[in-house]
Amino acid sequence: MNPLTQFNRIRILPLLIAPALIALAALTPVRALATPGCGVFSVNLLDPVPAGAFADGLLDLVCRDSDFGWKLKTKVKGDSDVYVTKHTFGPGGQTGWHSHPGPSLIMVIQGTLTVYHDDCTFETYSAGQSFTDLGCGDIHNVRNEGGTEAIDVAVQIVPHGAGRRDDKPNPGCAQPPPCP
C-alpha cells in the first residue's frame, strides 16, 4: 500500500467519525441539573410592568429617623423591576434549589418554612417572622416541613428585564428530600 494513501486515510477517518459522535451526543438524553419545586402555588400580586418598574435613580433612598435611631440606605444603579409574590406551600412543598438576581424581603404569614442554603445549613421561620435573601447568587431551597399549609409574601428587586428566579442544581446537601 502506498504510504501516501495510508496517510490520507488516517487524516480522513476523524472527519468521518466526528459527525457520528456529535449526532450521538446530541440525541443522548441528559438529566436536567435543576431541582424542580413541588407543592408550591405562586401568585404575582404586583407585576413589574408597568406598576413595579423603577427607572434608574428612583431606588436611591436615604432616610434617617433620629427619634428611633433608624436609618435606611438603598442605592440601585440601573432600571429595576419590583415583584410582590404570594407563595402557598402545601405540606412537603418546596421551591427547589434556586437563586435570584437581586434581593428579596420575605414575610411568613401562615405556618412554618425552613430555608436551606447551599452550605447545607438551614433556618426555620414561623408566621409573623421575616427573613431576607441577598440574591446575587445566593442559592437556597424553601420547604414546608409541617403538616398544614404555609404562606409567605416576597418583595423582590431585580434588574429590569431579568427573570425573577434562576433554577440551580442541588449543591450536594442531603436535605431537604427531593420532591416525590
Side-chain angles (χ1 to χ4, degrees), residues 13-30:
L13 189 59
L15 297 176
L16 296 174
I17 293 174
L21 291 175
I22 291 170
L24 180 64
L27 296 175
T28 301
V30 177

Side-chain angles (χ1 to χ4, degrees), residues 29-118:
V30 177
R31 196 178 79 153
L33 294 177
T35 55
C38 60
V40 180
F41 180 70
S42 299
V43 176
N44 282 332
L45 302 176
L46 173 69
D47 282 322
V49 179
F54 290 83
D56 185 22
L58 288 180
L59 293 178
D60 294 348
L61 310 169
V62 177
C63 177
R64 183 182 310 249
D65 186 322
S66 58
D67 292 341
F68 294 99
W70 187 81
K71 190 164 68 164
L72 169 76
K73 183 175 181 182
T74 302
K75 184 167 181 77
V76 177
K77 182 176 169 116
D79 296 344
S80 302
D81 293 335
V82 175
Y83 290 88
V84 178
T85 308
K86 176 183 172 185
H87 305 99
T88 302
F89 294 75
Q94 63 182 302
T95 61
W97 291 99
H98 67 282
S99 66
H100 304 282
S104 301
L105 308 169
I106 303 100
M107 287 117 331
V108 180
I109 58 174
Q110 180 179 315
T112 300
L113 294 170
T114 302
V115 180
Y116 291 91
H117 304 282
D118 61 351

Side-chain angles (χ1 to χ4, degrees), residues 161-176:
R164 203 174 57 74
R165 173 189 161 114
D166 184 18
D167 289 338
K168 299 292 184 181
N170 183 326
C173 300
Q175 76 285 356

